[in-house]
Amino acid sequence: MSVFDKVKSIIVEQLGVEEADVNMEASFIEDLGADSLDIVELVMALEEEFDLVIPDEDAEKIRTVGEAVKYIQDHQ
Amino acid sequence: MVNRVLVTGLGVVSPLGTGVEPFWANLTAGVSGAGPITRFDATAFSTRFAAEVKDFDPLRYIDKKEARHMDRFTQFALVAANMALADAGLDLEKTDRDRVGVILGSGIGGIETLEEQHKVLLNKGPGRISPFFIPMMIANMGAGQIAIAHRLRGCNVTTTSACASSNNAVGDACRILQRGQADVMITGGSEAPITPMAVAGFCAMKALSTRNDQPQQASRPFDAGRDGFVIGEGAGILILETEAHALARGARIYAEVTGYGTSCDAYHITASDPEGGGAALAMSLALLDAGLSPADIDYINAHGTSTPLGDRSETTAIKHVFGTAAARLAVSSTKSMTGHLLGAAGGVESVACVLAIDRGVIPPTINYEQPDPECDLDYVPNCARVAPVRAALNNSFGFGGHNATLVFKKYER
């Protein structure tokens, strides 16, 4: 499974959105309905899935699905 | 002027079914909701059965993402409240939402969430605790989520008085309406305590029945063979309205809430006062508040948890308050069927009282086989009774010595 597909399945599970809505341009807050608690939970799930530590200052910069995928690819 | 307060909607999630009709059908048919525990592996527990809510799929009622962020007790509360609102036929678009409030009772709140997150803490460390842990766990979130779901901006509180929580909630909601501080109150309570920690805790207190080979016969209030309560889960919700508000919208009226009395044993952390003094005080205050005399009451939905001491002291208290009128009184414990829903007990049992008045049927105390000489009232043994109920009392007593009694009355204009 690609990084994007793994990220997508986590987002679908956690944010309760449709798979079709999860694309690289989608913003977590504006397009996928996430609030600040959802973002914290999502970052935690990504850390677990990809065995990463995402510092708060980096997490704050991740606003779209594409930015999350890129961050993971750059840090794996 | 004190407003009259009417019951105009009911909602139930219970071990006897989800929805008022299955609940009432099973309650009057004498069906037990108890069975082996399926929520967790109870093999090592001294009590391995409970009255679980079966076939409850939150996704049938709640959005998937929302449901993930609600403890089971909050899911029960929200689903029962939605049912009660629908039952009341209340069009919130035409209602002043500043004057609709919520007061629920819960004894423990989100203990399942607490236990799961504590495992995370031990296994993965503090950095993996969910940001939803606190908002899922806190006992007031049932009331909070109901308000959010329906944008209800009135008074929003949760009462915690252990197993008296819901009766205190209904009583306090009634007071708000009597004083004219709201038009509509959603009230009752919710509990989801069938978790390893909660069951182990009650086991340690020797509070639970250990009749593991006969779960459905284990809750036997007032019977000589009773050996403890059967833990249950669920929610019971009532829609209360001021008389003026209910009549103006042509609401169907189930009953009137006319009395509320509350007291404390001030005796022991868990054991009830054997003389029943605190319970008697709550009942007397409720009757006084309702302006009724013992002869006006036809039915008491007893606290009756099936513990050796509790059922005896409640009987003593009833006899003390009712005197000669106790002889013609029907007293039943629906916990014989639902199990003990702890902080939600008063909510579900208020629904039972309201339906008894509305439908003229008194639900029974099942598993009543061998009379206890010290429990000598008419407990409506084993079979529901068709009888007019002019007014009913609902008793709930909790650890800490809390006592709360409500009076429901047939509504007459």
Side-chain angles (χ1 to χ4, degrees):
Chain A
M1 219 197 276
S2 72
V3 170
F4 172 71
D5 286 334
K6 284 184 186 169
V7 169
K8 180 160 81 173
S9 78
I10 289 171
I11 292 170
V12 166
E13 168 65 21
Q14 297 215 334
L15 301 182
V17 292
E18 297 299 323
E19 273 192 35
D21 296 330
V22 184
N23 54 56
M24 290 291 270
E25 288 73 41
S27 152
F28 291 114
I29 292 173
E30 275 125 49
D31 301 319
L32 301 174
D35 62 23
S36 61
L37 298 181
D38 292 323
I39 302 277
V40 175
E41 192 186 41
L42 194 62
V43 168
M44 240 183 241
L46 295 175
E47 287 181 327
E48 288 259 308
E49 174 68 33
F50 297 101
D51 197 19
L52 285 173
V53 176
I54 307 176
D56 286 352
E57 53 270 31
D58 288 355
E60 282 163 19
K61 291 179 200 137
I62 300 173
R63 287 178 306 253
T64 65
V65 176
E67 286 166 5
V69 169
K70 181 165 189 314
Y71 185 92
I72 291 160
Q73 285 167 338
D74 290 350
H75 290 81
Q76 265 192 319
Chain B
M1 195 195 98
V2 173
N3 292 310
R4 292 174 71 177
V5 176
L6 308 182
V7 182
T8 58
L10 303 173
V12 184
V13 174
S14 82
L16 298 181
T18 295
V20 165
E21 292 311 325
F23 166 72
W24 184 246
N26 285 324
L27 199 74
T28 49
V31 173
S32 167
I37 288 175
T38 64
R39 300 282 309 160
F40 62 91
D41 178 3
T43 310
F45 287 63
S46 55
T47 294
R48 297 180 288 280
F49 61 97
E52 295 179 338
V53 170
K54 294 161 270 291
D55 305 326
F56 178 79
D57 176 9
L59 300 185
R60 268 188 63 196
Y61 311 97
I62 308 171
D63 170 76
K64 185 176 150 203
K65 180 184 159 192
E66 301 292 321
R68 272 190 75 236
H69 295 155
M70 290 178 193
D71 187 87
R72 185 168 168 88
F73 96 97
T74 297
Q75 295 174 353
F76 289 161
L78 181 58
V79 169
N82 288 351
M83 288 176 170
L85 279 168
D87 185 46
L90 188 65
D91 183 354
L92 287 167
E93 296 304 320
K94 293 181 186 158
T95 308
D96 179 356
R97 288 175 156 96
D98 291 357
R99 293 185 56 78
V100 183
V102 187
I103 302 186
L104 296 194
S106 186
I108 321 185
I111 191 167
E112 187 169 69
T113 299
L114 177 69
E115 289 181 35
E116 284 172 3
Q117 290 295 307
H118 189 247
K119 275 185 232 156
V120 173
L121 177 74
L122 297 181
N123 295 333
K124 297 182 178 176
R128 285 289 175 267
I129 293 296
S130 167
F132 293 97
F133 160 52
I134 299 289
M136 286 173 71
M137 173 202 63
I138 50 181
N140 50 303
M141 198 49 78
Q145 289 281 18
I146 291 168
I148 292 165
H150 300 285
R151 290 174 286 126
L152 310 175
R153 293 179 296 263
C155 166
N156 195 294
V157 188
T158 295
T159 54
T160 294
S161 48
C163 305
S165 298
S166 281
N167 267 16
N168 281 126
V170 175
D172 291 349
C174 178
R175 290 281 185 261
I176 298 247
L177 293 166
Q178 285 175 331
R179 291 196 293 258
Q181 293 168 326
D183 296 326
V184 180
M185 292 297 294
I186 299 172
T187 187
S190 182
E191 203 85 87
I194 304 177
T195 70
M197 283 293 294
V199 173
F202 286 113
C203 283
M205 297 172 71
K206 314 275 183 214
L208 300 180
S209 168
T210 55
R211 202 179 284 257
N212 287 298
D213 52 339
Q214 291 181 305
Q216 302 208 325
Q217 282 79 51
S219 186
R220 43 197 315 118
F222 307 109
D223 179 88
R226 66 190 185 274
D227 74 326
F229 76 83
V230 175
I231 195 166
E233 60 173 356
I237 303 285
L238 299 87
I239 306 298
L240 304 187
E241 284 182 72
T242 60
E243 181 187 39
H245 193 271
L247 293 183
R249 70 179 186 88
R252 178 196 41 197
I253 295 155
Y254 283 102
E256 180 172 5
V257 192
T258 60
Y260 171 39
T262 186
S263 71
C264 187
D265 281 4
Y267 173 77
H268 185 267
I269 51 171
T270 57
S272 56
D273 176 355
E275 302 301 318
L281 179 59
M283 284 187 264
S284 299
L285 290 171
L287 286 173
L288 185 69
D289 190 41
L292 296 176
S293 66
D296 297 322
I297 306 296
D298 292 321
Y299 172 53
I300 296 182
N301 187 299
H303 186 57
T305 58
S306 187
T307 60
L309 184 61
D311 294 0
R312 197 191 316 147
S313 59
E314 186 174 10
T315 299
T316 303
I318 290 170
K319 283 156 67 172
H320 180 75
V321 173
F322 283 77
T324 53
R328 49 158 295 283
L329 193 60
V331 179
S332 76
S333 172
T334 45
K335 289 186 182 76
S336 58
M337 295 170 281
T338 62
H340 186 0
L341 276 66
L342 308 184
V348 167
E349 289 157 21
S350 288
V351 171
C353 285
V354 166
L355 290 171
I357 290 169
D358 184 58
R359 301 187 181 184
V361 180
I362 298 174
T365 305
I366 69 164
N367 298 317
Y368 188 82
E369 291 171 346
Q370 195 188 344
D372 172 350
E374 291 186 280
C375 296
D376 53 355
L377 297 170
D378 170 8
Y379 299 112
V380 195
N382 304 316
C383 292
R385 184 179 301 163
V386 176
V389 178
R390 294 167 299 160
L393 250 60
N394 178 12
N395 278 342
S396 285
F397 313 137
F399 288 166
H402 311 287
N403 306 294
T405 299
L406 297 166
V407 182
F408 296 95
K409 189 168 171 280
K410 200 166 200 63
Y411 174 63
E412 288 161 359
R413 272 184 98 154

